[in-house]
Amino acid sequence: MVNHSLALNDHRGFTLIELIVVLAIVALLLSIATPHYFHRIDKSRETILRANLATARDVLDKFYSDTGKYPDQLDTLVEKKYLRTLPYDPLTESSLTWIVVPPDNPEKGGVFDIHSAAEGNSSEGTPYSEW
């Protein structure tokens, strides 16, 4: 004869205290990891912005070398096949928010340089608009 009362006691679950301890440990680990995660996302956006600015400035210089003047608009670089698309600003999440800096002499064109229109400062403390 099998004693069914012993078989029922073999199926134990977790106690409330055990679940609370596990959840507290998970919450502690998340509170440590989350700030690092968001910091890395911000750093990667800054890295992409720097690379896009460097590429755009290089293309502006090549356009000037080829034509003797700077483009009148950023779109000209795409029209003349210097760029496939306008550079993307990951901080403003747009390709249309660039601050265009004209050359000293207006006869040399309209776009000498570009800067990000993002507000705030980088992780180094410099304003994004000065990059």
Side-chain angles (χ1 to χ4, degrees), residues 29-67:
L29 292 174
L30 283 175
S31 68
I32 293 170
T34 302
H36 294 292
Y37 172 74
F38 286 113
H39 177 69
R40 291 290 175 204
I41 288 176
D42 292 340
K43 288 292 279 185
S44 66
R45 286 182 179 159
E46 289 179 2
T47 302
I48 293 168
L49 175 60
R50 284 186 192 274
N52 287 352
L53 284 170
T55 300
R57 289 170 178 156
D58 183 53
V59 168
L60 285 168
D61 291 340
K62 288 178 182 176
F63 187 92
Y64 183 79
S65 294
D66 291 347
T67 64

Side-chain angles (χ1 to χ4, degrees), residues 14-29:
F14 294 106
T15 65
L16 182 60
I17 297 296
E18 291 170 331
L19 290 174
I20 289 174
V21 168
V22 169
L23 289 175
I25 291 170
V26 169
L28 176 67
L29 292 174

Side-chain angles (χ1 to χ4, degrees), residues 73-99:
Q73 302 173 7
L74 275 177
D75 293 336
T76 305
L77 297 173
V78 177
E79 292 169 8
K80 302 282 185 174
K81 307 289 186 206
Y82 282 84
L83 292 171
R84 289 185 184 187
T85 61
L86 289 177
Y88 178 75
D89 186 343
L91 299 176
T92 62
E93 299 180 350
S94 176
S95 298
L96 306 173
T97 56
W98 296 107
I99 297 172

